Amino acid sequence: MIERVEILGVKVDAVTMTQAVERVEELICAGEPSMVATANAEMLLNATHDAELKRILNAADLVVPDGAGTVWAARHLGKQMPERVAGFDLVQELMKVAPARAWKFFLFGAAPGIADKAKLKAEELYHGIEIVGTRNGYFKPADEPEIISQIKSSRADILLVALGVPKQEKWLFKYKDELQIPVSIGVGGTFDVMAGVVKRAPLWMQKARLEWLFRAMLQPSRAGRLLALPKFVWKVHNQKS
Ligand code: UDP
């Protein structure tokens, strides 16, 4: 039985990467539309002042501990949290095992051309992978029926949605039943990294739990978002006392 640890009002699953992949497999086998979220510190902090996001995360079928901040928070609260399961890494693990299991992917989101580049990269890395559709993430409400019909008719097993937080979670929650895709995952900047547009932090920085600092350095427009971290630490500390 996987424990769920409540961090700032959001229940996060205390899973390892292996368990997260197993859970996704179960959800695909079950066949009902389900949702997976990757909770990093910023998302958990956003959920404290976005009740809709909090409700959606608590209704998700799997919430993985994305980022050192989430793992730290659980442990600080005296709970078990085996390891970090970053959204990007989860996508790579799923893509790795997908050909053997005949799982099909649909990539929705990011700027025009990026999901196609991510598709090419996946096909290069994971031999035999089936990516049955792509669609960029810049659209008007009037385009949604066509996007929904494109995703639905792809009959993918896994839908990856990269629209940023909380847009991707809200969009998925609204449409997942209509889409009829077994597993949908909000994956943030994953396609940008796969396409080579945005770099992932070097391994030593990831290990030193400094990935957030690397991202802020690379995209200065994100630097303001760094303030989320001390706020997150402060709020988690208050939750404890
Ligand atoms: N994006 C999109 N449509 C939008 C807004 C954003 O497709 O209306 C994409 C954007 O191009 C990027 C991703 O969503 O590929 C968000 O990446 P980010 O690293 O900001 O993710 P977050 O940190 O919010 O998870």
Side-chain angles (χ1 to χ4, degrees):
M1 192 52 195
I2 290 161
E3 289 246 3
R4 295 198 111 183
V5 179
E6 190 167 322
I7 303 169
L8 305 183
V10 173
K11 294 185 187 72
V12 180
D13 291 279
V15 282
T16 60
M17 176 61 82
T18 307
Q19 288 171 320
V21 172
E22 282 168 6
R23 182 83 186 109
V24 169
E25 178 154 32
E26 281 168 20
L27 292 168
I28 292 176
C29 291
E32 293 296 316
S34 69
M35 204 177 141
V36 176
T38 68
N40 62 17
E42 200 180 355
M43 190 194 273
L44 292 171
L45 188 70
N46 284 348
T48 64
H49 46 76
D50 183 339
E52 188 191 351
L53 176 63
K54 185 189 275 187
R55 219 172 333 107
I56 292 171
L57 294 176
N58 282 325
D61 300 85
L62 175 66
V63 179
V64 299
D66 179 341
T70 306
V71 174
W72 167 82
R75 293 179 182 167
H76 188 69
L77 295 167
K79 309 287 182 189
Q80 300 275 341
M81 191 55 80
E83 64 185 8
R84 180 177 80 122
V85 179
F88 178 86
D89 296 330
L90 177 62
V91 169
Q92 306 312 303
E93 291 300 316
L94 292 171
M95 288 185 161
K96 205 183 283 172
V97 298
R101 292 167 168 79
W103 292 343
K104 302 190 288 289
F105 289 83
F106 192 104
L107 313 187
F108 171 39
I114 299 292
D116 297 304
K117 277 195 187 153
K119 175 180 189 278
L120 288 177
K121 188 71 191 172
E123 287 164 348
E124 182 190 314
L125 291 175
Y126 311 109
H127 192 70
I129 193 163
E130 278 187 86
I131 297 182
V132 290
T134 60
R135 174 66 168 82
N136 75 67
Y138 291 85
F139 56 90
K140 296 185 201 72
D143 303 324
E144 290 188 342
E146 186 224 309
I147 296 174
I148 290 163
S149 119
Q150 191 192 347
I151 296 173
K152 198 173 166 181
S153 62
S154 76
R155 304 184 68 86
D157 300 286
I158 301 178
L159 167 64
L160 303 179
V161 182
L163 303 175
V165 178
K167 193 173 178 182
Q168 60 200 20
E169 285 73 24
K170 292 182 180 176
W171 197 89
L172 268 177
F173 191 73
K174 187 169 174 195
Y175 294 119
K176 76 175 164 55
D177 291 332
E178 209 174 318
L179 293 166
Q180 285 295 315
I181 303 292
V183 174
S184 296
I185 317 177
V187 296
T190 293
F191 302 161
D192 294 312
V193 177
M194 288 188 76
V197 183
V198 173
K199 280 204 171 45
R200 187 97 197 268
L203 213 55
W204 72 265
M205 271 187 110
Q206 290 185 43
K207 285 191 176 147
R209 302 177 182 173
L210 290 173
E211 186 153 22
W212 52 275
L213 180 62
F214 182 83
R215 292 181 78 178
M217 278 158 45
L218 224 64
Q219 293 169 278
S221 58
R222 299 176 73 106
R225 291 164 67 171
L226 279 182
L227 279 177
L229 281 154
K231 274 189 204 153
F232 176 74
V233 168
W234 176 248
K235 285 208 174 195
V236 171
H237 194 67
N238 283 346
Q239 179 184 331
K240 192 180 176 186
S241 46

